[in-house]
Amino acid sequence: MTTTNRFTVFPLQARPNLGRLWLGAVAGTVLGAALGVHAATVRLDELDLTAMTAGWGKPQPNLSITQKPLALGGVKFEHGVGTHAESDVMISLDGKAKWFTAKVGVDDHASNAVASVEFIVSGDDRELWRSGVCHWGEPPRECRVKLTGVKSLELEVTDADDGNKNDHADWADAAFAFAGAPPQTVKTLAPAEAAVILTPPAPREPRLNGPKVYGVRPGSPFLYRLPCTGARPLLFRADDLPEGLTLDYTSGIITGKVATAGTYRATLFARNAFGSTRREFRIVVGNQLALTPPMGWNSWYIHYNRVTEATMRDAADQMIASGMADFGYQYVNIDDCWMKQKGDVPYRDTNGAVLPNWNFPDMPGLAAYIHAKGLKAGLYTSPGPWTCGGYVGAYQHEATDAREFADWGFDFLKYDWCSYGQVAGGSDLAHLQRPYQLMAGELQKQKRDLVFNLCQYGMGDVWNWGGEVGNSWRTTGDLGLARDSRLPGFYHIGFSNARHWANARPGAWNDPDYLLVGWVGDAHGMGQGRPTTLTPNEQYSYLSLWSLMAAPLIFSGDLARLDAFTLNLLCNAEVIAVDQDPLGRQGKILRQTRDEFVLVKPLEDGALAVGLFNLAAHPRTMTVTEDELGLSGPARVRDLWRQKELGALARTLAVEVPRHGVALMRVQPLK
Ligand code: GLA
């Protein structure tokens, strides 16, 4: 223990549960008294770091996140903490602490031009210091923060809003000078909350859900199952479908091909023993797919490398049986791990066609099985030689693979950067774009539509160009690896994604990653599933945030273990309608403070979807004014989770919002 210059006497009950620090501080007290100095110091690396979170790996005392000596811009440090964005730790103080000092930056061992982070120090929920964006290779930045009066200190490292790839961050020489009790790291625990189902069940009368607009290319196979709730049996009808399409009136599945480009306005009808309903449906035959954000399910966060063809068939069955398909969920997507693993030769057949592993004996059969239910099939690969999980990627086989995926009958491709960095030959924009442009070109040549999802974690500000290449692009690192900190990881991912609101448009969506609710596996160890650790209010916030951001709604928990709460959360038709609104605008940030986040999304019919998110750890009255919403005339307000009218909009709308919860409303101006 090398604590120096201490002068403090702890009352026994304030003794930290840090044996080393206690002993050191006592020794220091004696030393300090002898020297007549009135402050003690303790280094950050001497505190218990188990409560410190990191977006990748485990925070390291006196080493970088990859366990190398701490180094910033060529300067080596003996002490400090190496971590990885997004990272967070809370430290409890007694108001008598004096200073926090550190030298911060991107660790030299990150050795990658894309690494960039920002350090933030906050005290009692107020920002005290911010580093500005730090890049790899830069000299360390000095942090010196006065702590007088502060009781709760937070040290955060963000990904500087460009994804957290290679974001190795160092709090070098980080130390506290204190006069009272020594600083201690703390883990905040959420109070227990009842899982209240807010949404009334769908009525027994038919209700047609899902998007109101749908894009398809001329001549491509068309497949669309009308999402409709209500008592079975249901009978369907469609008027004014374009030539080439037919509807099966009992299953509600539309199939066929449309030869001629154009916008076709059809009317869909559904009827059962209790009533009938109708809905307009615009079919846009042209070059754009995914005119509303894709909705479906992906295998990653529950099945990882355990995924099999049987799991995928079950998933399709469950999407129908659970009723999710009746709300518009349609893609059933295999993530990584369906190909041969490194070492399991041969990887390809004599024609170069990629071979699925023994868990996937019949890829065309799988796609056909999914299609027979009116659902769509998706799969995954990497532009690199290997996927992130170490399976065969598409590198130098792009044309063959695209053709094969289409021949098998797949409708969606996630293209994950993974090992591509090893063969990219550069990290400038052109090199970042090249593999995605190449695959986009190959997909264009196919005679079926494949929605193209770019997965490269936000590199090269992908939101500025992703829409010219594909239909959606991940804006951040993996949500499942963004660990809990002051707020659960989905908020950090959500805040980062929300900034790019102006880039989203029909056919081109920001993708903040999957819906990790319900029964999910721990991404860190690719573990078996367990119930989400998010509170019910956090889960309402999650779905609200994704819907306001017009994000793809891809559930990645266990479809076989959907409880009533999770199903209600995923299947609120009015919340989904916000996400799927045909105008295709992403919610704009109206307000963002430490405790409040407010998003407003304009909808096609002139209404606004408004989300008031309470980020504080206690309930809070949140307000939004008519002026802020840009409204002047009368308007009515509807609570979308409860599907309940709240009345006329007053000049100021004030709502009590629970801890980490949301008020999600639709404000409809009255003409
Ligand atoms: C990356 C992606 C994840 C998942 C895994 C599979 O981490 O970002 O979404 O596809 O690879 O290995």
Side-chain angles (χ1 to χ4, degrees), residues 162-402:
D162 62 354
N164 72 347
K165 193 154 175 70
N166 259 288
D167 281 353
H168 302 197
D170 295 344
W171 294 98
D173 271 354
F176 300 86
F178 63 98
Q184 298 185 56
T185 55
V186 284
K187 188 152 182 72
T188 42
L189 291 176
E193 258 177 35
V196 180
I197 293 181
L198 297 177
T199 308
R204 57 187 190 168
E205 293 81 16
R207 239 195 221 166
L208 282 161
N209 300 308
K212 291 185 177 148
V213 57
Y214 187 90
V216 64
R217 292 188 306 160
S220 289
F222 188 101
L223 175 69
Y224 185 76
R225 177 189 186 274
L226 270 50
C228 187
T229 56
R232 265 51 187 178
L234 284 161
L235 284 181
F236 299 94
R237 198 184 93 203
D239 286 356
D240 305 322
L241 281 179
E243 199 186 322
L245 297 189
T246 49
L247 167 75
D248 179 299
Y249 68 95
T250 53
S251 66
I253 300 175
I254 305 177
T255 51
K257 281 179 187 170
V258 189
T260 317
T263 298
Y264 301 86
R265 291 169 198 280
T267 310
L268 309 175
F269 300 84
R271 160 163 80 79
N272 66 9
F274 304 99
S276 61
T277 189
R278 58 185 282 166
R279 187 176 169 102
E280 306 307 310
F281 189 55
R282 241 160 39 228
I283 299 173
V284 184
V285 184
N287 237 337
Q288 273 293 20
L289 308 178
L291 294 179
T292 63
M295 288 178 66
W297 175 85
N298 169 288
S299 61
W300 181 244
Y301 282 115
I302 182 66
H303 299 302
Y304 300 106
N305 55 2
R306 302 181 290 273
V307 68
T308 66
E309 196 177 302
T311 334
M312 298 308 299
R313 287 177 187 239
D314 289 349
D317 294 348
Q318 287 145 1
M319 194 173 276
I320 303 285
S322 64
M324 282 177 70
D326 300 334
F327 289 86
Y329 291 90
Q330 56 169 343
Y331 287 96
V332 181
N333 293 353
I334 322 171
D335 205 88
D336 199 352
C337 310
W338 61 265
M339 330 72 169
K340 298 277 205 96
Q341 214 167 355
K342 208 173 198 170
D344 182 11
V345 286
Y347 303 132
R348 294 176 175 273
D349 70 12
T350 44
N351 298 320
V354 66
L355 294 169
N357 63 42
W358 59 273
N359 285 324
F360 288 87
D362 182 8
M363 291 297 257
L366 173 59
Y369 184 86
I370 295 172
H371 290 160
K373 296 175 181 294
L375 303 174
K376 309 261 177 70
L379 85 177
Y380 164 110
T381 190
S382 169
W386 305 105
T387 67
C388 299
Y391 293 73
V392 176
Y395 182 58
Q396 291 184 333
H397 295 274
E398 295 81 1
T400 321
D401 286 2

Side-chain angles (χ1 to χ4, degrees), residues 25-26 42 101 118 135 241-242 271 330 343 349 373 393 401 411 463 488 491 501 522 524 530 543 573 579 590:
V26 170
V42 64
T101 50
E118 187 166 29
H135 299 99
L241 281 179
R271 160 163 80 79
Q330 56 169 343
D349 70 12
K373 296 175 181 294
D401 286 2
D411 311 289
W463 37 89
Y491 284 102
W501 62 271
D522 179 8
H524 291 276
R530 53 164 172 66
L543 262 291
D579 180 81
L590 193 74

